[in-house]
Amino acid sequence: MSDGDILNGFTPEAAEPPRVVVLISGSGSNLQALIDAQGYDELGGGKIVAVISNQPDAYGLKRAKEAGIEAVALPHREYDSREAFDGALIKVIERHEPHLVVLAGFMRILTPRFVQRFYGRLLNIHPSLLPAYQGLDTHARALADGVAEHGCSVHFVTEELDGGPVVLQAAVAVSEGDDEAALKEKVHAREHLIYPIAVRWFLEGRLRLEAEGPTLDGTPLPPQGLRLSHQDAAEELDEAPEQ
């Protein structure tokens, strides 16, 4: 048998799918949107390999287990400092060798050490049209200001809280009768729409964080990323027209 025969009969192994670790603190609705996208093969060929929560009773851990994904509780209260917790979190994440770390309602301020360890492969979703309303209580603040438009943003994480480069946004028109609960529901629907898209772009190699900022297919993104209008998002979500 010649070397050529051996090579001709060789079947290369399929490339391992990109690995994703998701960090949560609560119900995990954005996690579920990512799990659903993976089930429909709409996650760029990626695989969610672990879900980690700083809250051991987070419902998102149950979602992970039901989807056959490793679920890890890492209670932050068991650590003396934010630095100690983040050090432990880094070790747990790195055991899974992720290509991408996704924050999906992870209610912890990350240390610079953590951000730098995963810089360029760390995404978050925030319930506002950044740079507006960084921090908490975004819906209440938007309503108090009487804005006509609100929404959500996917961004790369940097050391500045909610200040990293924006990749993708989805807007929602604020109706006269909206209260905080109604607005939150409409924004959540948009989060579940755009987060899997941004994750897919990254896992397909289309979305990158370069030295000058994020690029999609090699083209620099505008300062607020790409934005779905209220109408475009509503059509994608099959929402009833505003009365």
Side-chain angles (χ1 to χ4, degrees):
M1 182 182 291
S2 69
D3 290 343
D5 291 333
I6 296 173
L7 292 174
N8 289 337
F10 175 71
T11 302
E13 293 184 8
E16 183 182 2
R19 300 164 65 84
V20 180
V21 169
V22 182
L23 307 186
I24 64 168
S25 293
S27 70
S29 65
N30 272 305
L31 165 65
Q32 189 64 55
L34 295 171
I35 291 172
D36 292 346
Q38 177 177 299
Y40 289 113
D41 197 23
E42 294 177 353
L43 210 60
K47 181 181 180 182
I48 303 170
V49 294
V51 174
I52 305 169
S53 176
N54 65 304
Q55 299 286 0
D57 59 349
Y59 184 72
L61 293 175
K62 184 173 185 291
R63 295 182 191 267
K65 291 174 184 175
E66 290 177 348
I69 300 168
E70 182 173 345
V72 182
L74 191 70
H76 65 273
R77 293 180 181 86
E78 295 181 2
Y79 295 85
D80 294 335
S81 66
R82 180 172 285 120
E83 288 73 17
F85 172 76
D86 277 12
L89 183 57
I90 287 170
K91 290 180 181 178
V92 174
I93 292 172
E94 290 191 334
R95 282 205 296 266
H96 297 279
E97 301 179 340
H99 297 80
L100 177 65
V101 178
V102 175
L103 307 182
F106 188 62
M107 304 303 289
R108 296 282 298 170
I109 296 175
L110 299 169
T111 59
R113 174 191 177 195
F114 184 95
V115 173
Q116 288 304 319
R117 182 65 63 97
F118 300 108
Y119 186 81
R121 52 192 178 111
L122 187 58
L123 287 176
N124 183 47
I125 191 157
H126 182 74
S128 77
L129 296 174
L130 292 171
Y133 305 116
Q134 295 167 307
L136 301 174
D137 303 320
T138 61
H139 310 308
R141 291 157 61 195
L143 289 170
D145 287 346
V147 298
E149 190 174 63
H150 190 42
C152 55
S153 307
V154 180
H155 66 97
F156 281 104
V157 177
T158 64
E159 293 179 27
E160 180 186 354
L161 180 64
D162 301 327
V166 175
V167 172
L168 183 60
Q169 296 183 323
V172 59
V174 181
S175 302
E176 186 174 339
D178 279 344
D179 58 11
E180 189 174 347
L183 188 55
K184 180 179 181 180
E185 183 178 352
K186 289 194 283 189
V187 171
H188 266 172
R190 282 152 178 77
E191 291 178 11
H192 303 160
L193 173 65
I194 68 172
Y195 214 1
I197 293 172
V199 169
R200 183 177 77 236
W201 286 348
F202 184 93
L203 297 180
E204 289 175 342
R206 300 177 59 197
L207 174 65
R208 298 180 180 275
L209 182 56
E210 310 287 1
E212 297 77 17
T215 62
L216 183 64
D217 297 331
T219 301
L221 291 173
Q224 272 71 63
L226 302 179
R227 180 180 290 187
L228 277 178
S229 68
H230 170 84
Q231 182 176 351
D232 288 342
E235 289 177 359
E236 289 289 335
L237 295 166
D238 293 325
E239 290 180 345
E242 294 286 331
Q243 299 298 317

